[in-house]
Amino acid sequence: MLWKRIYRCFSNLRREEEILLNFTENLSKLRADATRMNLRPEKLVELKKNEFLDMGVLNYFGLNQDCIQIYRHADSLTSVPEDRSVNYPRNGVIRLEMLFSKSENLRENFRRFYSERVRIGKMLEIFDYLAGMTAYKYVYNEAGSRICTFVTACVDRFQPYGKFSTTDDLILTAYPSYVGNSSVEVRVEVASRVNNQDVGIATTHFLMVARSLEDHSKPFKVPRLSFEGEDDPARCELRNELGKRAQVRRKLKDSSSVYKIPPTGEESIALFHLFRKIKSKSFDLSESVLMGATRIEKTVLMHSQDKNIHGKVFGGYLMREAYELAWVCAYTHSKGNIPSFNRVDDVVFHAPAEVGSVCKFVATVTFVQSPHVNVLVELIRWMPDGDEVKTTELHCNFLLPQARNVLPETYDDSLKYLEGKRRLQDLINPELQ
């Protein structure tokens, strides 16, 4: 029978894609391990309370401050060159240890409901704190003063390859890995401490852009990144090369977006057949659903308690809110099955969210290829004149067995559908990792 041959071909294709997905995930782990900064214990100096009161991350932990420890690199104060046009990765190192083993209260604050899993949204918030502090350290910024302003431009690929659990202490290490003329890529590594051994479980990158303190529209030139005197210069070079490639990949993805160039001929034909299927109502509602039916939203008033040092709403807070709405979107789409977090593809900040502004978070399931479910969250700032401005977007991937497919109904939904499909293909293609 023809349909049986088609089904076998389709099943074989899906198996091949799953094999490729597993391969690229393992490749990501190998790459992260091969480029991880090896910080020996003697190279770490714990900061005293009076040394890091200026660090906003402490405010985030509140009464749990005794259950965290913050370290700097032992050579960071002795390797400051007279010519401050250059700097080194070690001078930007910040390590944060979250000692869940010593505090039930800390575990409770980070635990996801009915489990020991860590809330991913809260981790994204802490990552952003660390990335900002690392960027300011890199430009020789001193406590209580600023020589420039840093903004988070984007977050590039956060895909855990280990378990985030409140049963283990978590060790977060942030440092500059690549530097442009006015940008600093901050790498954040996460390890889980099991039986006194630190095991890597995730890596992500934050692109921080420096702006003039007097005029935020003008770039601020940051020090050149040098690897002289580093303990692992070969790994520094590898991280630097990966940073260059990431810059090229981001520019290529932006220039080839479906919002900038028309869909390919193959994509247009696929959309045509989808619309015929929708028009004729020849799809099973138990297997497919219109994209608009997956959309959920919430409207939030931005308060000063969530502002950053620039007086804008903190990007980490926006990421936490966006991620948790993405999870709810996947959860409601699955009719109650618990989604398993797989990856944040990227977070892009287009414009700041002002304190006192009204912002709408809109989450949509854009593409499904079981078990993968792509969710897009857009943050829209409402303007007093009735206009709306998109400030942030987050693309997230969850794993859900037997998830229903989504079908685009409008042209805008079709572009979101193609974007989600392309992102999954990028995840499968090891050459794009």
Short mmCIF file of all heavy atoms in Angstrom, two decimals, residues 216-264:
data_model
loop_
_atom_site.label_atom_id
_atom_site.label_comp_id
_atom_site.label_asym_id
_atom_site.label_seq_id
_atom_site.Cartn_x
_atom_site.Cartn_y
_atom_site.Cartn_z
N HIS A 216 23.49 57.63 25.24
CA HIS A 216 23.32 56.18 25.08
C HIS A 216 23.24 55.73 23.62
O HIS A 216 23.31 54.54 23.33
CB HIS A 216 22.07 55.73 25.82
CG HIS A 216 22.21 55.79 27.31
ND1 HIS A 216 21.25 55.35 28.18
CD2 HIS A 216 23.24 56.23 28.09
CE1 HIS A 216 21.65 55.54 29.43
NE2 HIS A 216 22.85 56.07 29.39
N SER A 217 23.09 56.68 22.71
CA SER A 217 23.05 56.31 21.29
C SER A 217 24.44 56.10 20.72
O SER A 217 24.59 55.57 19.62
CB SER A 217 22.32 57.40 20.48
OG SER A 217 23.07 58.61 20.49
N LYS A 218 25.47 56.49 21.46
CA LYS A 218 26.84 56.37 20.99
C LYS A 218 27.53 55.17 21.64
O LYS A 218 27.38 54.94 22.84
CB LYS A 218 27.64 57.64 21.30
CG LYS A 218 27.14 58.87 20.55
CD LYS A 218 27.98 60.09 20.87
CE LYS A 218 27.50 61.31 20.10
NZ LYS A 218 28.32 62.52 20.43
N PRO A 219 28.31 54.40 20.86
CA PRO A 219 29.02 53.25 21.43
C PRO A 219 30.18 53.68 22.30
O PRO A 219 30.73 54.77 22.14
CB PRO A 219 29.50 52.49 20.20
CG PRO A 219 29.63 53.53 19.13
CD PRO A 219 28.54 54.53 19.40
N PHE A 220 30.55 52.81 23.23
CA PHE A 220 31.70 53.03 24.11
C PHE A 220 32.72 51.95 23.79
O PHE A 220 32.41 50.75 23.85
CB PHE A 220 31.27 52.96 25.58
CG PHE A 220 32.41 53.11 26.56
CD1 PHE A 220 32.81 54.37 26.99
CD2 PHE A 220 33.07 51.99 27.05
CE1 PHE A 220 33.86 54.51 27.89
CE2 PHE A 220 34.12 52.12 27.95
CZ PHE A 220 34.51 53.39 28.38
N LYS A 221 33.93 52.35 23.45
CA LYS A 221 34.96 51.37 23.08
C LYS A 221 35.45 50.65 24.33
O LYS A 221 35.88 51.28 25.30
CB LYS A 221 36.13 52.07 22.38
CG LYS A 221 37.17 51.10 21.84
CD LYS A 221 38.21 51.81 21.00
CE LYS A 221 39.28 50.85 20.50
NZ LYS A 221 38.72 49.76 19.69
N VAL A 222 35.42 49.33 24.30
CA VAL A 222 35.81 48.53 25.45
C VAL A 222 37.25 48.05 25.27
O VAL A 222 37.78 48.02 24.15
CB VAL A 222 34.87 47.31 25.63
CG1 VAL A 222 33.44 47.77 25.84
CG2 VAL A 222 34.95 46.37 24.43
N PRO A 223 37.94 47.68 26.34
CA PRO A 223 39.33 47.21 26.22
C PRO A 223 39.44 45.97 25.34
O PRO A 223 38.53 45.13 25.28
CB PRO A 223 39.71 46.88 27.67
CG PRO A 223 38.78 47.71 28.51
CD PRO A 223 37.51 47.78 27.75
N ARG A 224 40.57 45.87 24.66
CA ARG A 224 40.85 44.69 23.84
C ARG A 224 41.08 43.49 24.74
O ARG A 224 41.67 43.61 25.82
CB ARG A 224 42.09 44.98 22.98
CG ARG A 224 42.56 43.81 22.12
CD ARG A 224 43.73 44.26 21.25
NE ARG A 224 44.82 44.80 22.05
CZ ARG A 224 45.77 44.06 22.61
NH1 ARG A 224 45.74 42.73 22.49
NH2 ARG A 224 46.74 44.64 23.30
N LEU A 225 40.63 42.32 24.31
CA LEU A 225 40.77 41.10 25.10
C LEU A 225 42.11 40.43 24.78
O LEU A 225 42.41 40.12 23.63
CB LEU A 225 39.63 40.13 24.80
CG LEU A 225 39.55 38.86 25.65
CD1 LEU A 225 39.30 39.21 27.12
CD2 LEU A 225 38.44 37.94 25.14
N SER A 226 42.91 40.24 25.82
CA SER A 226 44.22 39.59 25.66
C SER A 226 44.25 38.32 26.50
O SER A 226 43.63 38.24 27.55
CB SER A 226 45.34 40.54 26.11
OG SER A 226 46.59 39.86 26.17
N PHE A 227 45.00 37.33 26.05
CA PHE A 227 45.11 36.06 26.77
C PHE A 227 46.49 35.89 27.41
O PHE A 227 46.83 34.79 27.87
CB PHE A 227 44.81 34.90 25.82
CG PHE A 227 43.51 35.05 25.09
CD1 PHE A 227 43.42 34.85 23.72
CD2 PHE A 227 42.36 35.43 25.77
CE1 PHE A 227 42.22 35.00 23.06
CE2 PHE A 227 41.15 35.59 25.12
CZ PHE A 227 41.08 35.37 23.75
N GLU A 228 47.25 36.93 27.43
CA GLU A 228 48.58 36.87 28.04
C GLU A 228 48.47 36.59 29.54
O GLU A 228 47.72 37.25 30.26
CB GLU A 228 49.31 38.21 27.83
CG GLU A 228 50.72 38.22 28.37
CD GLU A 228 51.39 39.56 28.18
OE1 GLU A 228 50.82 40.41 27.46
OE2 GLU A 228 52.47 39.77 28.77
N GLY A 229 49.19 35.57 29.99
CA GLY A 229 49.19 35.23 31.40
C GLY A 229 48.02 34.37 31.84
O GLY A 229 47.93 34.02 33.04
N GLU A 230 47.14 33.99 30.93
CA GLU A 230 46.01 33.13 31.29
C GLU A 230 46.50 31.70 31.53
O GLU A 230 47.47 31.24 30.91
CB GLU A 230 44.95 33.13 30.18
CG GLU A 230 44.18 34.43 30.05
CD GLU A 230 43.30 34.69 31.26
OE1 GLU A 230 42.56 33.77 31.68
OE2 GLU A 230 43.34 35.82 31.79
N ASP A 231 45.82 30.98 32.41
CA ASP A 231 46.20 29.60 32.71
C ASP A 231 45.91 28.66 31.55
O ASP A 231 46.55 27.62 31.42
CB ASP A 231 45.45 29.10 33.96
CG ASP A 231 45.89 29.85 35.21
OD1 ASP A 231 47.05 30.30 35.25
OD2 ASP A 231 45.07 29.99 36.14
N ASP A 232 44.91 29.01 30.73
CA ASP A 232 44.50 28.12 29.64
C ASP A 232 44.37 28.90 28.33
O ASP A 232 43.27 29.06 27.79
CB ASP A 232 43.19 27.42 29.98
CG ASP A 232 42.10 28.41 30.36
OD1 ASP A 232 42.40 29.63 30.45
OD2 ASP A 232 40.94 27.99 30.53
N PRO A 233 45.49 29.43 27.79
CA PRO A 233 45.42 30.26 26.57
C PRO A 233 44.80 29.54 25.37
O PRO A 233 44.12 30.17 24.56
CB PRO A 233 46.88 30.64 26.31
CG PRO A 233 47.68 29.63 27.07
CD PRO A 233 46.86 29.26 28.26
N ALA A 234 45.03 28.22 25.26
CA ALA A 234 44.46 27.48 24.13
C ALA A 234 42.93 27.49 24.19
O ALA A 234 42.25 27.68 23.18
CB ALA A 234 45.00 26.05 24.12
N ARG A 235 42.39 27.30 25.39
CA ARG A 235 40.94 27.34 25.55
C ARG A 235 40.41 28.76 25.34
O ARG A 235 39.31 28.94 24.82
CB ARG A 235 40.53 26.81 26.92
CG ARG A 235 40.80 25.33 27.10
CD ARG A 235 40.10 24.77 28.32
NE ARG A 235 40.31 23.34 28.43
CZ ARG A 235 39.49 22.51 29.07
NH1 ARG A 235 38.41 22.98 29.67
NH2 ARG A 235 39.75 21.22 29.13
N CYS A 236 41.17 29.73 25.76
CA CYS A 236 40.77 31.13 25.52
C CYS A 236 40.62 31.39 24.03
O CYS A 236 39.66 32.03 23.59
CB CYS A 236 41.80 32.09 26.11
SG CYS A 236 41.85 32.15 27.91
N GLU A 237 41.58 30.90 23.25
CA GLU A 237 41.53 31.07 21.80
C GLU A 237 40.31 30.37 21.21
O GLU A 237 39.66 30.90 20.30
CB GLU A 237 42.82 30.54 21.15
CG GLU A 237 44.07 31.31 21.50
CD GLU A 237 44.15 32.67 20.80
OE1 GLU A 237 43.25 32.97 19.98
OE2 GLU A 237 45.10 33.41 21.08
N LEU A 238 40.03 29.17 21.71
CA LEU A 238 38.85 28.44 21.22
C LEU A 238 37.57 29.20 21.53
O LEU A 238 36.70 29.34 20.66
CB LEU A 238 38.81 27.05 21.86
CG LEU A 238 39.69 25.96 21.25
CD1 LEU A 238 39.65 24.70 22.12
CD2 LEU A 238 39.22 25.64 19.84
N ARG A 239 37.44 29.70 22.74
CA ARG A 239 36.25 30.46 23.11
C ARG A 239 36.12 31.72 22.27
O ARG A 239 35.02 32.11 21.86
CB ARG A 239 36.29 30.80 24.60
CG ARG A 239 36.15 29.60 25.52
CD ARG A 239 35.91 30.04 26.96
NE ARG A 239 37.07 30.71 27.55
CZ ARG A 239 37.97 30.10 28.30
NH1 ARG A 239 37.88 28.79 28.54
NH2 ARG A 239 38.98 30.78 28.84
N ASN A 240 37.27 32.35 22.01
CA ASN A 240 37.26 33.57 21.21
C ASN A 240 36.79 33.27 19.78
O ASN A 240 36.00 34.03 19.19
CB ASN A 240 38.66 34.17 21.19
CG ASN A 240 38.71 35.54 20.54
OD1 ASN A 240 38.09 36.49 21.03
ND2 ASN A 240 39.43 35.64 19.44
N GLU A 241 37.27 32.17 19.22
CA GLU A 241 36.87 31.78 17.87
C GLU A 241 35.37 31.45 17.81
O GLU A 241 34.67 31.82 16.87
CB GLU A 241 37.70 30.59 17.40
CG GLU A 241 37.42 30.14 15.97
CD GLU A 241 37.67 31.21 14.94
OE1 GLU A 241 38.59 32.03 15.15
OE2 GLU A 241 36.95 31.23 13.93
N LEU A 242 34.88 30.76 18.83
CA LEU A 242 33.44 30.46 18.88
C LEU A 242 32.62 31.74 19.01
O LEU A 242 31.53 31.84 18.45
CB LEU A 242 33.15 29.53 20.07
CG LEU A 242 33.65 28.09 19.93
CD1 LEU A 242 33.39 27.32 21.23
CD2 LEU A 242 32.96 27.39 18.77
N GLY A 243 33.16 32.72 19.73
CA GLY A 243 32.48 34.01 19.83
C GLY A 243 32.38 34.71 18.49
O GLY A 243 31.34 35.28 18.15
N LYS A 244 33.46 34.66 17.71
CA LYS A 244 33.44 35.24 16.36
C LYS A 244 32.39 34.56 15.49
O LYS A 244 31.63 35.21 14.77
CB LYS A 244 34.82 35.11 15.70
CG LYS A 244 35.90 35.98 16.31
CD LYS A 244 37.22 35.75 15.57
CE LYS A 244 38.35 36.56 16.20
NZ LYS A 244 39.65 36.30 15.51
N ARG A 245 32.37 33.23 15.55
CA ARG A 245 31.41 32.48 14.73
C ARG A 245 29.98 32.78 15.16
O ARG A 245 29.06 32.85 14.33
CB ARG A 245 31.68 30.98 14.84
CG ARG A 245 32.99 30.56 14.22
CD ARG A 245 33.13 29.04 14.18
NE ARG A 245 34.39 28.64 13.60
CZ ARG A 245 34.69 27.37 13.29
NH1 ARG A 245 33.82 26.40 13.53
NH2 ARG A 245 35.86 27.08 12.76
N ALA A 246 29.78 32.95 16.46
CA ALA A 246 28.44 33.26 16.95
C ALA A 246 27.97 34.61 16.43
O ALA A 246 26.79 34.79 16.08
CB ALA A 246 28.42 33.24 18.48
N GLN A 247 28.89 35.58 16.36
CA GLN A 247 28.55 36.89 15.81
C GLN A 247 28.11 36.77 14.36
O GLN A 247 27.11 37.36 13.93
CB GLN A 247 29.76 37.83 15.90
CG GLN A 247 30.05 38.36 17.29
CD GLN A 247 29.17 39.53 17.65
OE1 GLN A 247 27.95 39.40 17.73
NE2 GLN A 247 29.78 40.68 17.89
N VAL A 248 28.86 36.00 13.58
CA VAL A 248 28.51 35.80 12.16
C VAL A 248 27.16 35.09 12.04
O VAL A 248 26.32 35.47 11.22
CB VAL A 248 29.62 34.98 11.46
CG1 VAL A 248 29.20 34.60 10.05
CG2 VAL A 248 30.93 35.76 11.43
N ARG A 249 26.96 34.07 12.89
CA ARG A 249 25.70 33.32 12.83
C ARG A 249 24.51 34.20 13.17
O ARG A 249 23.45 34.13 12.53
CB ARG A 249 25.78 32.13 13.78
CG ARG A 249 24.48 31.36 13.94
CD ARG A 249 24.68 30.06 14.70
NE ARG A 249 25.46 30.23 15.90
CZ ARG A 249 24.98 30.71 17.05
NH1 ARG A 249 23.71 31.12 17.11
NH2 ARG A 249 25.74 30.79 18.12
N ARG A 250 24.65 35.06 14.20
CA ARG A 250 23.55 35.94 14.57
C ARG A 250 23.21 36.92 13.46
O ARG A 250 22.03 37.17 13.17
CB ARG A 250 23.91 36.70 15.86
CG ARG A 250 23.79 35.87 17.12
CD ARG A 250 23.89 36.73 18.36
NE ARG A 250 25.22 37.30 18.54
CZ ARG A 250 26.17 36.76 19.30
NH1 ARG A 250 25.93 35.62 19.94
NH2 ARG A 250 27.34 37.34 19.43
N LYS A 251 24.25 37.47 12.80
CA LYS A 251 24.02 38.42 11.71
C LYS A 251 23.35 37.72 10.53
O LYS A 251 22.45 38.28 9.88
CB LYS A 251 25.33 39.07 11.28
CG LYS A 251 25.90 40.02 12.32
CD LYS A 251 27.23 40.60 11.86
CE LYS A 251 27.80 41.56 12.90
NZ LYS A 251 29.12 42.11 12.50
N LEU A 252 23.79 36.50 10.24
CA LEU A 252 23.21 35.75 9.13
C LEU A 252 21.74 35.42 9.41
O LEU A 252 20.88 35.57 8.53
CB LEU A 252 24.00 34.46 8.90
CG LEU A 252 23.49 33.54 7.79
CD1 LEU A 252 23.55 34.25 6.44
CD2 LEU A 252 24.30 32.24 7.75
N LYS A 253 21.46 35.00 10.64
CA LYS A 253 20.07 34.67 10.99
C LYS A 253 19.19 35.91 10.90
O LYS A 253 18.06 35.84 10.42
CB LYS A 253 20.02 34.09 12.41
CG LYS A 253 18.61 33.71 12.86
CD LYS A 253 18.59 33.15 14.27
CE LYS A 253 19.11 31.75 14.32
NZ LYS A 253 18.91 31.12 15.65
N ASP A 254 19.72 37.05 11.34
CA ASP A 254 18.93 38.28 11.29
C ASP A 254 18.67 38.71 9.86
O ASP A 254 17.55 39.09 9.51
CB ASP A 254 19.67 39.39 12.05
CG ASP A 254 18.91 40.70 12.04
OD1 ASP A 254 17.82 40.75 12.65
OD2 ASP A 254 19.39 41.68 11.43
N SER A 255 19.70 38.63 9.00
CA SER A 255 19.54 39.09 7.62
C SER A 255 18.66 38.16 6.79
O SER A 255 18.07 38.58 5.80
CB SER A 255 20.91 39.23 6.96
OG SER A 255 21.56 37.97 6.88
N SER A 256 18.58 36.89 7.18
CA SER A 256 17.78 35.92 6.42
C SER A 256 16.43 35.63 7.06
O SER A 256 15.75 34.67 6.70
CB SER A 256 18.56 34.61 6.27
OG SER A 256 18.84 34.04 7.54
N SER A 257 16.03 36.46 8.03
CA SER A 257 14.76 36.27 8.72
C SER A 257 13.59 36.31 7.73
O SER A 257 13.63 37.04 6.72
CB SER A 257 14.58 37.35 9.79
OG SER A 257 13.25 37.40 10.24
N VAL A 258 12.55 35.56 8.03
CA VAL A 258 11.35 35.57 7.17
C VAL A 258 10.66 36.92 7.19
O VAL A 258 9.81 37.20 6.34
CB VAL A 258 10.35 34.48 7.62
CG1 VAL A 258 10.89 33.09 7.35
CG2 VAL A 258 9.97 34.65 9.08
N TYR A 259 11.03 37.77 8.15
CA TYR A 259 10.46 39.12 8.20
C TYR A 259 11.25 40.10 7.34
O TYR A 259 10.86 41.26 7.20
CB TYR A 259 10.42 39.61 9.64
CG TYR A 259 9.46 38.83 10.51
CD1 TYR A 259 9.93 37.79 11.31
CD2 TYR A 259 8.10 39.10 10.50
CE1 TYR A 259 9.05 37.05 12.09
CE2 TYR A 259 7.22 38.37 11.28
CZ TYR A 259 7.70 37.34 12.07
OH TYR A 259 6.83 36.60 12.84
N LYS A 260 12.38 39.64 6.75
CA LYS A 260 13.19 40.51 5.91
C LYS A 260 13.28 40.05 4.46
O LYS A 260 13.44 40.86 3.56
CB LYS A 260 14.60 40.64 6.51
CG LYS A 260 14.61 41.41 7.83
CD LYS A 260 16.02 41.67 8.31
CE LYS A 260 16.00 42.53 9.57
NZ LYS A 260 17.36 42.82 10.08
N ILE A 261 13.23 38.73 4.24
CA ILE A 261 13.24 38.21 2.87
C ILE A 261 12.10 37.22 2.73
O ILE A 261 11.69 36.59 3.70
CB ILE A 261 14.58 37.54 2.52
CG1 ILE A 261 14.87 36.36 3.45
CG2 ILE A 261 15.72 38.54 2.60
CD1 ILE A 261 16.08 35.55 3.02
N PRO A 262 11.53 37.08 1.52
CA PRO A 262 10.39 36.19 1.34
C PRO A 262 10.74 34.74 1.63
O PRO A 262 11.90 34.32 1.54
CB PRO A 262 10.04 36.37 -0.15
CG PRO A 262 10.69 37.66 -0.55
CD PRO A 262 11.91 37.78 0.29
N PRO A 263 9.74 33.92 1.97
CA PRO A 263 9.98 32.48 2.16
C PRO A 263 10.50 31.85 0.87
O PRO A 263 10.27 32.36 -0.23
CB PRO A 263 8.58 31.94 2.52
CG PRO A 263 7.82 33.13 3.02
CD PRO A 263 8.35 34.31 2.27
N THR A 264 11.22 30.75 1.02
CA THR A 264 11.73 30.04 -0.15
C THR A 264 10.57 29.41 -0.91
O THR A 264 9.45 29.32 -0.42
CB THR A 264 12.71 28.94 0.27
OG1 THR A 264 11.99 27.95 1.03
CG2 THR A 264 13.85 29.51 1.12
#
